[in-house]
Amino acid sequence: MEKKRATEENESGFAPPSRSVDKFGFIKQDNWGNSAEGLTRSRSTNDREREERRIKKWRKMIGVGGSDWKQYVRRKPHVVKRRIRKGIPDCLRGLVWQLISGSRDLLLLNPGVYERLVIYETSPSELDIIRDISRTFPSHVFFQQRHGPGQRSLYNVLKAYSVYDRDVGYVQGMGFLAGLLLLYMSEEDAFWLVVALLKGAVHAPMEGLYLGMKVVFQVGLALLRFCHDDLVSFLLFLIAMI
C-alpha cells in the first residue's frame, strides 16, 4: 500500500516532502555537501544586509509600482546601467524586467487581449505545447505537479503567444523563457514580457532567433537529404515520434 501511494505521488508531480529546495524553488541535489551548507550559513548575515541595502536603493529608484522609473532613467541613466550590471534584487526582478522591456506599457495599452487569446482563440500548436510542458523546469516545485497551477499557467502563456504571433507560433524552448518569467510575475504580465522580448517593445526583437532556428533546421535537412536521404527519413520519423 505504501509503495502504491509513493508511486501515485511521483506521478502527480509532487516532490517527496523530505527533499529540500533552494531559495529559487528548485529541488536540491542529494549530493550537496555539509561544508557548502555551513559556508552558506556563515555568509548569510552579510549577504542579507548587503541585499537589504540594494533593495532600498532600487525601491527609491523605481518608486511605488515603477512610478518613478522613467524619470530616473532620463536623469541618471549611468546609475541605472551600473545597478543593473551589479544585479537586480530578486524580489524586484519581476517589476524591473517589465519596466526595462516596456511590457508594462504593452499590458496597459491592450486590456483584455490576453484573456481573449487564452479563452476564445485556438492554436495549431496546442498539442506540441502540452507535450513539452512536463519537460520545462521539471525539478522546480511550481512546475512539478501534472496539470497543476504552474503547468496550466505555462500552457496559457505559450498558447496565447502562439496565437498572438502566428509567424513565429510556438517553438520548443520557449517554455523555459516563459517559465522563468512566471516565477516572478502573473500570467498576463509574463505574456506581455514575452511579447516585448520577441517583438521588441523597447529593444531590438528576439523573434529572429526563433525564426532563424526554423530556417537552420530546414537548411540542415535539405543538406542531409542531398547527401543521405535515408538518414533524413529516419530523423523525420524520430521527430514525429517525440
Side-chain angles (χ1 to χ4, degrees):
M1 183 68 180
E2 292 180 357
K3 183 177 181 180
K4 180 180 179 182
R5 183 164 57 249
T7 302
E8 291 174 350
E9 288 176 354
N10 289 335
E11 288 180 351
S12 66
F14 287 106
S18 60
R19 302 186 67 180
S20 58
V21 298
D22 63 18
K23 66 177 182 178
F24 298 107
F26 289 94
I27 297 174
K28 292 182 179 180
Q29 299 298 319
D30 295 333
N31 58 356
W32 279 32
N34 293 330
S35 59
E37 294 179 358
L39 180 61
T40 301
R41 283 195 296 269
S42 65
R43 294 167 52 186
S44 61
T45 301
N46 292 334
D47 291 343
R48 187 161 52 248
E49 292 175 352
R50 187 184 304 111
E51 187 71 4
E52 288 174 356
R53 291 195 297 269
R54 292 176 62 241
I55 292 173
K56 186 176 181 180
K57 291 179 181 178
W58 272 90
R59 290 192 186 280
K60 182 178 180 180
M61 182 171 68
I62 64 179
V64 179
S67 57
D68 297 335
W69 171 256
K70 291 182 179 180
Q71 182 180 1
Y72 198 99
V73 170
R74 285 194 296 267
R75 289 191 298 109
K76 299 181 179 180
H78 58 287
V79 175
V80 175
K81 183 182 295 186
R82 184 177 70 249
R83 289 180 179 172
I84 290 175
R85 287 176 174 173
K86 286 184 177 180
I88 303 169
D90 189 68
C91 64
L92 297 175
R93 285 177 184 172
L95 175 59
V96 174
W97 288 347
Q98 293 175 65
L99 296 173
I100 293 174
S101 67
S103 67
R104 176 61 63 88
D105 294 332
L106 288 177
L107 185 150
L108 296 175
L109 291 172
N110 295 276
V113 171
Y114 176 72
E115 182 180 6
R116 175 177 58 80
L117 294 173
V118 171
I119 298 176
Y120 300 108
E121 300 285 350
T122 59
S123 168
S125 302
E126 290 181 11
L127 292 179
D128 293 331
I129 295 171
I130 292 173
R131 178 195 63 193
D132 293 338
I133 287 294
S134 60
R135 306 176 185 178
T136 305
F137 295 127
S139 62
H140 195 283
V141 292
F142 186 53
F143 299 109
Q144 277 204 321
Q145 183 181 357
R146 185 179 301 174
H147 309 306
Q151 291 194 2
R152 288 198 302 269
S153 294
L154 183 57
Y155 169 81
N156 288 341
V157 172
L158 295 175
K159 181 241 182 175
Y161 188 83
S162 69
V163 176
Y164 180 85
D165 185 359
R166 293 188 181 274
D167 290 336
V168 173
Y170 168 73
V171 179
Q172 191 175 32
M174 281 183 174
F176 289 97
L177 172 61
L180 174 63
L181 301 182
L182 284 169
L183 299 180
Y184 289 93
M185 61 194 73
S186 68
E187 275 186 34
E188 188 171 14
D189 289 337
F191 167 75
W192 286 113
L193 184 45
V194 172
V195 172
L197 292 173
L198 298 186
K199 302 296 288 183
V202 174
H203 306 285
M206 293 172 56
E207 64 178 353
L209 174 64
Y210 290 100
L211 289 173
M213 289 169 61
K214 290 183 176 180
V215 172
V216 170
F217 180 73
Q218 292 169 356
V219 171
L221 282 181
L223 291 174
L224 281 173
R225 182 174 285 113
F226 179 76
C227 301
H228 303 285
D229 194 55
D230 292 338
L231 177 59
V232 171
S233 299
F234 179 66
L235 289 174
L236 291 175
F237 170 75
L238 290 179
I239 292 171
M241 295 296 291
I242 296 176

